[in-house]
Amino acid sequence: MSAIQTLKKIRNIGIIAHIDAGKTTTTERILYYTGKVHKMGEVHDGEATMDWMLEEKERGITITSAVTSCEWKGKNINIIDTPGHVDFTIEVERSLRVLDGVIGVFCAVGGVEPQSETVWHQADRYKVPKLVFINKMDRIGADFFRVIDMIKDRLGAHPLILQLPWGSEETFQGVVDLLTMKAITWEEETLGAAMQVGPIPEELMEDASKYRITLLETLADKNDLIMDRYLADEEIELKDLMLAIRESTINLSLVPVFCGASLKNKGIQPLLDGIVEYLPSPIDVPPIKGHIPGTGKEESRSSDPKGPLSALAFKVMMDQGRKMTYARIYSGSVKVGETVYNPGKNIKEKMARILKMHSNKRERIDQASAGDIIAVMGLKVTTTGDTLCTEDSPILLEPIQVNEPVISIAIEPKKVQDQDRLMDALAKLSDEDPTFKSRVDDETGQIVLSGMGELHLEIITGRLKREFLVPTNQGKPQVVYRETITKPITHEEIFEKELAGQQHFAGVTIEISPRPRGQGNHFVDRCENAALTEVFIQAIQEGIDEAVISGTLMGYPVVDVETALLDVKTHDTNSDAMAFKVAAELAFQNACRQAEPILLEPVMEAEILVPEEFMGEVIGDLHTRQGKIKQITAKGPIQVLSATVPLSKMFGYSTALRSVTQGRATFSMQFSHYDNT
């Protein structure tokens, strides 16, 4: 079989949705019907194949994206099951970056829920073709057509209905296939493995005919061949219809819609057919683009196993203390033991082992080529978003976008002797997850963890205890303020003291005055006294540098102050550098006390993405937090709101924002400046 024919048989797909829409259950059914597993694990029993982490089994949610592969009708399907919780959005982001197609799973009751909206827009950004599976048709409150309307309104997508549900809620029996105009049901005795295809029941015929016409008209708008035959009232062959659907799906103009009930084992086989028939193979998507290191010249690489190697490392995991790197190969091939080049870090790394993954189980393979998603052992320095290639044909692919953390907590090990182990564990967790950051605050000495939400940080601290055996205490980090002055003051300080039997004398006159916000501290010498030597000037400067470290109000650093040296007093024998240093330090502190000092607090630049209907609530909430709106711009149905807000008012904002927007808004923030609010 030629390399192109092999590539045509590959489907790299992901399953995305809001939490609890049924992604993992749907994946379990796919694995069962394709013969990959012989027993369906259930999420509610903590036995789902793809939810292998202990934290996932306990909570019944997906936390880390898991990779597996299976075969259906001669096609090899690589599947990534992604998390649905907003705190783990990086797992979706990096998965979408390397996938060729996705299945959006929507609950027939909940419809387009907030996180499914977020991940759909992420997929739009990467121009990933999509299918829709409307799940849970057997649930009370299931409404197929309401979900279709929500897909149009909330996602701005063009759904193409390929199936109608046969009944709903407790009467849900199967589906009506609008392409073949047949009804499909599933046998409970075989756990849905056996399908029965028969004529459409009479009571559904009118609806089926109506939506069949809608299907043909929609395709006719997108495809000239279908248009010609439809207008000529000719019979359109099934293969032509399927080809038109495939083209429209791959060029992102239509989204085919399937329906079923994964938990009741209904609707999965037609969805599998849709995956292999309508989603693209690696050669159906545009060539990957990158830049040549050093020149910045853009280059495209098509999916060719014989071309130069280009791969993207999209995920790092710690496996029993060893680093395992997941990568998608876009072009070329690689063998075990080969050396690859990381152009971003300008280093060579050796591929010690190449693995094909099935959730947390693995299969060693000798080589991999274009289109493959693999795990690699032996890459010591490569991290998420790094490119792997050959040194003689280097290319730098676009890195993965990473959101900045938005919430922080302070932690400490319960045992002092665990400090080094804690820092080592945090470094490993940061390698795994780019949205998690840890640092030691220079001013408070606290270890501060930052992540995407409370659940994210809860999982991190849980893993510290479970995997790394380092239990911790947690608390809120202190906000580190600054101090400044509000009026100019001139002050003279005389230092005269006997220390260790020796007299010390120095006199210093300084003027301190406030500077514009963000200008920093500045020292200027305006003294014309001939007694001032270079050594004394340096000592005075050192004294003032030490004085600004700790202010007079609450001991926070002093900023935005100009200190001018006006005059000095000296003694023939008792004046020395140490005396001038102490005098300058005391002069600055005493001058600050008279200059009406104030506290400055850190102000954050926040960017909030919010659906238009929630703008009033979000702006009102920001005002209660002393936020100032700078700009509002529209991005389709989403409004982008830029504001500055004091950091002390932003604790718990992640939860509050989800509450006032039904979870449909997201935000990022970073330090802007210090100010009095």
Side-chain angles (χ1 to χ4, degrees):
M1 192 183 290
S2 72
I4 297 299
Q5 284 175 313
T6 304
L7 279 170
K8 280 185 175 178
K9 292 180 178 295
I10 293 176
R11 301 289 182 273
N12 289 318
I13 66 155
I15 301 189
I16 60 171
H18 187 86
I19 192 167
D20 207 30
K23 295 180 309 304
T24 302
T25 304
T26 303
T27 310
E28 290 295 316
R29 271 48 183 179
I30 287 173
L31 295 177
Y32 181 73
Y33 298 131
T34 56
K36 186 72 180 185
V37 298
H38 304 294
K39 176 179 177 289
M40 285 184 274
E42 303 296 0
V43 174
H44 53 266
D45 294 333
E47 292 182 2
T49 308
M50 305 301 273
D51 287 351
W52 56 271
M53 284 175 70
L54 212 51
E55 287 84 356
E56 295 177 314
K57 291 177 186 292
E58 283 180 355
R59 289 176 168 81
I61 62 170
T62 303
I63 291 167
T64 180
S65 52
V67 180
T68 189
S69 60
C70 57
E71 280 193 22
W72 184 254
K73 296 191 174 176
K75 305 288 194 295
N76 184 38
I77 306 171
N78 295 318
I79 305 172
I80 300 183
D81 176 31
T82 64
H85 198 288
V86 66
D87 285 11
F88 310 107
T89 184
I90 180 61
E91 292 289 339
V92 184
E93 186 80 31
R94 56 187 175 190
S95 299
L96 288 171
R97 175 71 172 77
V98 298
L99 292 171
D100 301 326
V102 295
I103 303 165
V105 178
F106 298 105
C107 172
V109 182
V112 179
E113 294 171 281
Q115 183 60 7
S116 48
E117 205 172 336
T118 304
V119 295
W120 190 276
H121 292 316
Q122 284 175 296
D124 280 343
R125 191 166 69 243
Y126 289 119
K127 296 183 169 56
V128 182
K130 308 167 201 71
L131 302 183
V132 162
F133 182 64
I134 299 177
N135 190 23
K136 303 191 179 184
M137 282 304 307
D138 59 320
R139 286 270 298 275
I140 293 171
D143 189 337
F144 178 81
F145 292 105
R146 176 175 161 271
V147 181
I148 295 291
D149 289 340
M150 291 174 85
I151 291 169
K152 291 176 188 171
D153 298 340
R154 288 196 179 179
L155 305 178
H158 301 286
L160 180 70
I161 300 171
L162 300 185
Q163 295 178 341
L164 294 178
W166 180 354
S168 68
E169 301 181 348
E170 71 276 2
T171 65
F172 179 68
Q173 297 176 54
V175 301
V176 172
D177 188 323
L178 298 177
L179 286 175
T180 60
M181 289 301 277
K182 298 283 186 184
I184 306 170
T185 56
W186 284 266
E187 290 180 3
E188 289 185 21
E189 300 78 38
T190 61
L191 295 177
M195 293 192 309
Q196 292 191 335
V197 181
I200 298 172
E202 214 171 295
E203 68 271 17
L204 296 176
M205 203 64 208
E206 187 181 337
D207 275 353
S209 301
K210 173 183 154 190
Y211 283 100
R212 163 83 176 185
I213 291 168
T214 305
L215 168 69
L216 295 175
E217 287 175 347
T218 307
L219 285 175
D221 281 344
K222 307 290 181 186
N223 187 284
D224 291 340
L225 175 69
I226 306 294
M227 172 72 84
D228 293 343
R229 292 190 180 169
Y230 181 68
L231 292 176
D233 209 16
E234 292 177 16
E235 183 68 31
I236 306 170
E237 289 188 33
L238 180 61
K239 65 178 177 59
D240 292 329
L241 286 173
M242 291 171 74
L243 191 62
I245 295 169
R246 179 177 177 79
E247 285 174 1
S248 297
T249 305
I250 291 172
N251 67 27
L252 307 175
S253 57
L254 294 175
V255 180
V257 179
F258 299 82
C259 63
S262 295
L263 194 61
K264 295 291 172 66
N265 311 315
K266 294 175 181 175
I268 302 300
Q269 292 92 333
L271 177 63
L272 275 163
D273 290 341
I275 291 168
V276 300
E277 295 295 347
Y278 307 133
L279 288 179
S281 70
I283 57 172
D284 294 319
V285 293
I288 191 78
K289 289 182 180 175
H291 291 90
I292 306 301
T295 67
K297 183 183 168 191
E298 190 173 86
E299 183 175 301
S300 296
R301 291 202 176 165
S302 56
S303 198
D304 180 2
K306 293 179 180 173
L309 176 68
S310 56
L312 186 77
F314 68 94
K315 181 179 167 79
V316 171
M317 279 191 72
M318 285 308 179
D319 177 59
Q320 297 171 352
R322 291 177 302 172
K323 192 171 172 183
M324 184 160 69
T325 308
Y326 286 81
R328 159 75 192 265
I329 303 176
Y330 287 100
S331 66
S333 301
V334 69
K335 292 180 181 174
V336 170
E338 277 189 353
T339 299
V340 292
Y341 178 58
N342 181 331
K345 295 191 166 76
N346 193 24
I347 52 147
K348 294 178 188 174
E349 299 233 64
K350 190 174 181 180
M351 292 203 165
R353 286 185 196 170
I354 301 176
L355 307 166
K356 196 172 182 182
M357 298 302 294
H358 174 48
S359 188
N360 62 331
K361 298 180 179 67
R362 64 200 64 177
E363 174 193 338
R364 288 175 74 160
I365 54 176
D366 295 328
Q367 64 176 39
S369 58
D372 287 337
I373 293 176
I374 55 170
V376 181
M377 307 292 281
L379 304 182
K380 294 182 174 64
V381 183
T382 299
T383 56
T384 297
D386 284 358
T387 303
L388 299 172
C389 57
T390 54
E391 200 170 8
D392 54 355
S393 294
I395 188 169
L396 203 53
L397 304 177
E398 182 194 343
I400 293 168
Q401 291 186 18
V402 177
N403 291 338
E404 286 301 307
V406 295
I407 192 166
S408 301
I409 58 169
I411 67 164
E412 63 181 17
K414 286 191 174 177
K415 298 175 186 170
V416 177
Q417 59 265 37
D418 283 347
Q419 182 82 8
D420 290 343
R421 283 175 64 204
L422 174 61
M423 299 309 292
D424 185 48
L426 291 174
K428 287 178 177 175
L429 290 169
S430 295
D431 270 350
E432 273 191 30
D433 184 351
T435 60
F436 166 67
K437 289 185 169 55
S438 65
R439 63 183 174 84
V440 177
D441 193 297
D442 294 335
E443 287 149 354
T444 65
Q446 290 177 309
I447 299 171
V448 180
L449 309 187
S450 303
M452 300 306 294
E454 281 106 329
L455 178 62
H456 188 196
L457 294 176
E458 193 183 313
I459 297 291
I460 292 286
T461 53
R463 289 186 65 191
L464 284 172
K465 183 178 179 181
R466 225 173 224 157
E467 289 177 37
F468 298 95
L469 306 176
V470 184
T472 57
N473 297 319
Q474 294 105 41
K476 278 188 179 177
Q478 298 172 6
V479 174
V480 181
Y481 293 88
R482 294 287 186 268
E483 297 183 17
T484 194
I485 58 171
T486 55
K487 68 175 189 180
I489 286 289
T490 302
H491 179 78
E492 182 185 29
E493 188 74 33
I494 303 291
F495 176 74
E496 190 171 10
K497 201 162 189 177
E498 184 180 327
L499 294 169
Q502 185 181 342
Q503 282 289 336
H504 296 273
F505 178 87
V508 174
T509 304
I510 61 168
E511 180 189 36
I512 61 170
S513 50
R515 299 189 80 202
R517 205 64 71 235
Q519 293 287 303
N521 296 322
H522 183 59
F523 176 81
V524 57
D525 175 20
R526 294 196 192 127
C527 177
E528 296 178 359
N529 192 325
L532 182 65
T533 66
E534 196 65 42
V535 173
F536 290 168
I537 286 183
Q538 193 173 345
I540 290 166
Q541 261 190 286
E542 284 177 13
I544 288 166
D545 286 346
E546 284 194 15
V548 299
I549 291 170
S550 180
T552 56
L553 261 183
M554 294 178 70
Y556 291 112
V558 179
V559 295
D560 300 337
V561 174
E562 180 173 278
T563 307
L565 177 63
L566 303 181
D567 199 6
V568 294
K569 288 183 178 175
T570 61
H571 188 278
D572 291 343
T573 57
N574 297 338
S575 291
D576 58 9
M578 190 273 284
F580 272 104
K581 181 179 174 182
V582 175
E585 195 170 342
L586 291 171
F588 185 85
Q589 288 172 346
N590 290 326
C592 279
R593 288 189 180 95
Q594 304 165 55
E596 296 177 7
I598 58 168
L599 274 183
L600 301 177
E601 66 175 310
V603 176
M604 310 302 284
E605 187 91 40
E607 185 179 84
I608 303 151
L609 276 65
V610 55
E612 196 166 355
E613 60 261 42
F614 299 109
M615 279 292 286
E617 290 90 336
V618 171
I619 290 172
D621 182 61
L622 279 172
H623 283 150
T624 65
R625 296 170 187 273
Q626 299 173 19
K628 294 173 183 169
I629 311 296
K630 290 169 62 183
Q631 190 180 18
I632 299 173
T633 51
K635 271 190 188 174
I638 301 291
Q639 300 291 316
V640 181
L641 198 152
S642 299
T644 53
V645 199
L647 175 61
S648 61
K649 307 294 183 190
M650 291 300 277
F651 288 116
Y653 185 63
S654 181
T655 307
L657 181 66
R658 287 177 207 165
S659 176
V660 298
T661 64
Q662 297 170 17
R664 290 176 60 197
T666 57
F667 84 105
S668 60
M669 68 177 182
Q670 60 189 41
F671 173 76
S672 172
H673 62 281
Y674 281 93
D675 208 344
N676 58 317
T677 53

